[in-house]
Amino acid sequence: MANVNELIQGWGFKKQADIVTANVAAGIWRHTNLNTKPWAKVPVNEDDRAEIGKGHEFPTQLFKSHYNMPAFEISKYASSEFLAWAMAFSLGNVVLTGTGPYTYVIVPALGATNPTGLELPYFSFVQQIRPGGSAILDEILIGCAVKGWKLSIKNSPGRASAMCSVECVTTGKYTSPSGITLPAATTPHEFNAGMITALTFNGVDYLTGGSGKQFVSMDCSWDNNLRPGFFPGSGTQDGFQVQGRFEWGDRAFAVQFVVRVQAGSTEYANLINQTTGSATITLSSDANNSFSMVIQKMGFSVVELGNTDGIATLQITGVQLYDATNGLVTVTVITPQNNICQ
Amino acid sequence: MQAVQTCFLESPQGDEIKEVEATAAALSPLLSKGWHQVPAPAQRETVVLAQKED
């Protein structure tokens, strides 16, 4: 037996060559995770209860069906390394420049032009408890993809003021023991809300000037709505069918934020007048670590008056419009980590 | 002054490669239309076409 805090996890910061080829150790980093659960493997058996001809209604035999792998959350405080990873593997079109620090410019890939069609980059996930001769857990899950992420920023002290959680899926393919010796845990360069250097939504600067004290919180999320990947030839593991691809469906980009109401607040007017504008969120800890998300064209679908901890607030739901020139969203991350998603 | 970083992008049709300043402002219009990064010319594999024998 082992306490779950002995669980160590690592995953590919580099992408796999293809969905069935695991990352090698040199392309895997090790990180801590606020999600304390291991990634469960769920092989599913089926039986013959529905078949007639047995003389009764009861099942008589088990059949191997498939690996029904649950989604798994990697939840971390926002850092330049983790945000670069999350954005690159979820959006897909990545440009890497620099010689340290490294700059990643990332936008959502287009199915029509993406070299891998509707498929995003894949990575491997390693989880271990006392790896070695008598390991309690030592496996590498092969062919993982990012289903989506949530990024939250709020008025609070400390690391929890800027957080990112990433929802991952995997095929069911794995190798155990993993054969991977995980490196020492990466020390990420974390951000907190105090490091925000730009915070503008639809023409209103919530960081400085007249609206500088309005901002309360922001939650944005991305969902690739990945389609199930079972198909003829998708592969097997231990005799159970596994998934052989993850293709994105209708991707969803949601942004909600809460601001305090003040005299002359323009949020209602922006909704009623259908005003659109860009939104920029920038976190920067130093010259080597920053994150900037530019939503190219945002309008508002809902502006709702409410109460947050006793203060009158507006909860605003954005509509992220695809701009004809600049697309939907552009993320720029500067980080000391090279080769993310390469 | 720090030199401007550039990168090489290939068109969605694969028929054009251009060197672009590696800023979000310069890259966004291209990336959002399907351009994607390729290695710099010096790092690309050289393809030698076989010559037709007479």
Side-chain angles (χ1 to χ4, degrees), chain A residues 39-46 63-71 139 141-142 169-176 228-230 234-244 246:
Chain A
W39 198 336
K41 297 199 308 290
V42 185
V44 176
N45 281 324
E46 55 186 291
F63 300 88
K64 291 184 176 182
S65 176
H66 62 287
Y67 264 100
N68 182 24
M69 300 298 288
E139 60 194 12
L141 309 181
I142 302 163
V169 296
T170 188
T171 56
K173 203 84 182 165
Y174 71 93
T175 301
S176 182
F230 295 108
S234 62
T236 60
Q237 173 80 46
D238 311 322
F240 295 82
Q241 191 178 352
V242 297
Q243 299 181 75
F246 291 112

Side-chain angles (χ1 to χ4, degrees), chain A residues 182-196:
Chain A
L182 286 175
T186 301
T187 303
H189 295 80
E190 293 176 350
F191 301 120
N192 59 50
M195 298 172 182
I196 291 181

Side-chain angles (χ1 to χ4, degrees), chain A residues 79-88 91 93-98 101-108 149 151 191 197-198 253 279-296 326 328-337 340, chain B residues 5 7 21-29 31:
Chain A
S79 65
S80 66
E81 292 87 351
F82 188 60
L83 287 172
W85 180 86
M87 298 298 148
L91 302 182
N93 195 351
V94 183
V95 170
L96 166 61
T97 55
Y102 301 92
T103 301
Y104 297 85
V105 178
I106 306 161
V107 306
W149 48 257
L151 175 64
F191 301 120
T197 57
F253 182 32
T280 303
I281 305 114
T282 303
L283 292 142
S284 179
S285 60
D286 56 38
N288 297 335
N289 295 279
S290 66
F291 166 84
S292 184
M293 174 184 286
V294 177
I295 301 164
Q296 304 291 357
N326 291 312
L328 186 68
V329 60
T330 303
V331 176
T332 305
V333 187
I334 298 175
T335 179
Q337 177 67 47
I340 293 174
Chain B
Q5 296 273 358
C7 60
E21 192 176 317
T23 62
L27 291 171
S28 292
L31 296 183

Side-chain angles (χ1 to χ4, degrees), chain B residues 17-35:
Chain B
I17 291 174
K18 63 167 74 172
E19 187 174 11
V20 182
E21 192 176 317
T23 62
L27 291 171
S28 292
L30 294 167
L31 296 183
S32 63
K33 290 175 176 59
W35 289 67

Side-chain angles (χ1 to χ4, degrees), chain A residues 303-316:
Chain A
V303 176
E304 187 175 354
L305 187 61
N307 168 0
T308 305
D309 299 328
I311 293 180
T313 53
L314 296 170
Q315 179 168 298
I316 298 148

